[in-house]
Amino acid sequence: MSAATSLAKRAAQASFAVAGIVPVAAGLWGVLQPLGAAGSLMNHGRYLSGLLLGIGLAFWAAIPGIERRTTWVRVLTAVVVVGGLCRGVGLLLGDPLLPSVAGALVMELGVTPLLCFWQGRLASRG
């Protein structure tokens, strides 16, 4: 592996590690905090937060062999983008654009696809 490729790999690994903090922290928060609803709705919110946590952990699991995890990263990215598109539909249906929603959309439709693109370029360098 060339020095430039090694540096690119380390930079991608660091970026994935930092970006993964968002879904892991948000997922843990959602699991552990009261969600302000009762019964099955609260339980469903905790389940969805657990999925978010799992997505973040799965992205983190790709870090050690980042240059070989193209399919893994693409599948996770597709899941995140679909979620972001659904969040966008919610906005079209009248959901408020809160700062937390805007931040999530930036991660889901911006940062995650860019990281996926970067990983693909890294993988193609071999």
Side-chain angles (χ1 to χ4, degrees):
M1 180 180 301
S2 73
T5 302
S6 180
L7 181 60
K9 175 183 173 180
R10 296 271 183 243
Q13 288 173 314
S15 297
F16 270 71
V18 170
I21 292 169
V22 174
V24 170
L28 282 171
W29 184 87
V31 169
L32 300 174
Q33 295 298 314
L35 298 176
S40 65
L41 185 57
M42 179 183 290
N43 187 267
H44 186 66
R46 291 188 196 286
Y47 169 77
L48 294 175
S49 293
L51 290 178
L52 182 59
L53 171 63
I55 289 168
L57 293 174
F59 270 113
W60 277 353
I63 291 172
I66 194 80
E67 73 281 6
R68 298 181 311 273
R69 303 283 190 193
T70 303
T71 300
W72 182 301
V73 169
R74 287 181 180 170
V75 169
L76 289 169
T77 299
V79 169
V80 170
V81 168
V82 167
L85 292 173
C86 291
R87 191 184 302 274
V89 168
L91 292 174
L92 294 174
L93 294 174
D95 293 353
L97 180 57
L98 303 171
S100 59
V101 173
L105 283 168
V106 167
M107 286 297 295
E108 295 156 354
L109 301 179
V111 174
T112 303
L114 286 173
L115 287 173
C116 182
F117 177 75
W118 186 7
Q119 187 281 333
R121 294 212 14 130
L122 181 64
S124 69
R125 290 183 192 171

